[in-house]
Amino acid sequence: MPSYEQLSELLDPASTVLLTVECQQGVVGTDSALPELAREARSSGALRNVARLVAAAHETGVQVVHAIAERRPDGRGASRNARLFRAAERLPVQQLSGSTAVRVAAPIEVAEEDVVVRRLHGLSPIHGTDVDALLRNLGCRALIVTGVSANVAIPNAVFDAVNLGYTAVVPADAIAGVPADYTPAMIRHTLALVATVVTTDEVLGCLGRPRGRG
């Protein structure tokens, strides 16, 4: 666990980006395709903490990127090389492009300056998307990873960020997975080995006074 001074230095608003992963209505909303995951994201406070972090980022000039997973109505370009993808095709709620399911879910608020990146394939919000190029153009050094799920997309994002040279920061109380006891195990035995694991309150305490990105 870094000291407050070390974390404050790492989370310089000018070189920090906050990434929300699949915090969309069809995943964590009230009409989710994955109701167990949606319940856990809400009951654990993870979704509320993501919203707190996004609000603070807007106030302090930290760039926010929302990573959304969706599919075309005709399914073109969608991945089908894993059981997860094939199961998703049969869910009663589909993450179709342009539908309410792929809108960022409340209570997270999307600001005009936020960037929304949508992917039609794969498991990672970074690999195979525009996110890496955007992060480099934004001058990102530290990437705060939040959202769902701790089972698949969050570890994918953290590993990709580390492999690409970013410092991954994971607020442990702003991610969720199922079952409930899986998330702390994933954090302790996997993510803590490659990311800086913190709490939402620690991040909020380090973001400092509002300032622009320049």
Side-chain angles (χ1 to χ4, degrees), residues 109-132:
E109 295 188 2
V110 180
E112 184 177 355
E113 64 268 22
D114 292 0
V115 176
V116 179
V117 178
R118 303 179 182 276
R119 78 177 194 275
L120 295 172
H121 60 84
L123 300 170
S124 174
I126 298 179
H127 178 73
T129 73
D130 292 335
V131 170
D132 178 37

Side-chain angles (χ1 to χ4, degrees), residues 9-208:
E9 183 177 356
L10 174 63
L11 297 180
D12 178 354
S15 57
T16 298
V17 172
L18 172 64
L19 178 70
T20 76
V21 179
E22 296 182 30
C23 291
Q24 56 204 73
Q25 292 188 30
V27 176
V28 296
T30 54
D31 297 321
S32 171
L34 304 165
E36 183 182 5
L37 177 59
R39 285 193 297 271
E40 179 60 26
R42 291 178 175 276
S43 65
S44 68
L47 189 61
R48 181 175 65 253
N49 284 331
V50 175
R52 294 172 64 208
L53 290 165
V54 169
H58 293 159
E59 293 174 359
T60 58
V62 170
Q63 179 67 53
V64 179
V65 176
H66 303 283
I68 301 296
E70 59 181 49
R71 60 184 286 119
R72 288 167 50 113
D74 60 11
R76 290 180 183 271
S79 299
R80 295 184 176 86
N81 58 333
R83 187 175 69 176
L84 175 66
F85 302 130
R86 296 190 293 273
E89 292 179 348
R90 300 190 296 271
L91 292 173
V93 177
Q94 294 290 305
Q95 314 298 317
L96 298 181
S97 301
S99 71
T100 58
V102 297
R103 295 178 185 171
V104 176
I108 300 169
E109 295 188 2
V110 180
E112 184 177 355
E113 64 268 22
D114 292 0
V115 176
V116 179
V117 178
R118 303 179 182 276
R119 78 177 194 275
L120 295 172
H121 60 84
L123 300 170
S124 174
I126 298 179
H127 178 73
T129 73
D130 292 335
V131 170
D132 178 37
L134 291 169
L135 295 180
R136 295 188 186 282
N137 289 345
L138 290 164
C140 177
R141 294 180 57 199
L143 182 66
I144 305 172
V145 180
T146 66
V148 297
S149 72
N151 305 75
V152 178
I154 295 297
N156 263 267
V158 171
F159 295 151
D160 286 346
V162 173
N163 285 332
L164 290 166
Y166 304 104
T167 298
V169 179
V170 178
D173 53 356
I175 66 171
V178 289
D181 59 359
Y182 180 79
T183 299
M186 164 61 76
I187 292 169
R188 178 179 180 182
H189 298 294
T190 301
L191 299 186
L193 302 178
V194 295
T196 299
V197 177
V198 294
T199 66
T200 294
D201 285 344
E202 286 173 332
V203 174
L204 295 177
C206 290
L207 288 183

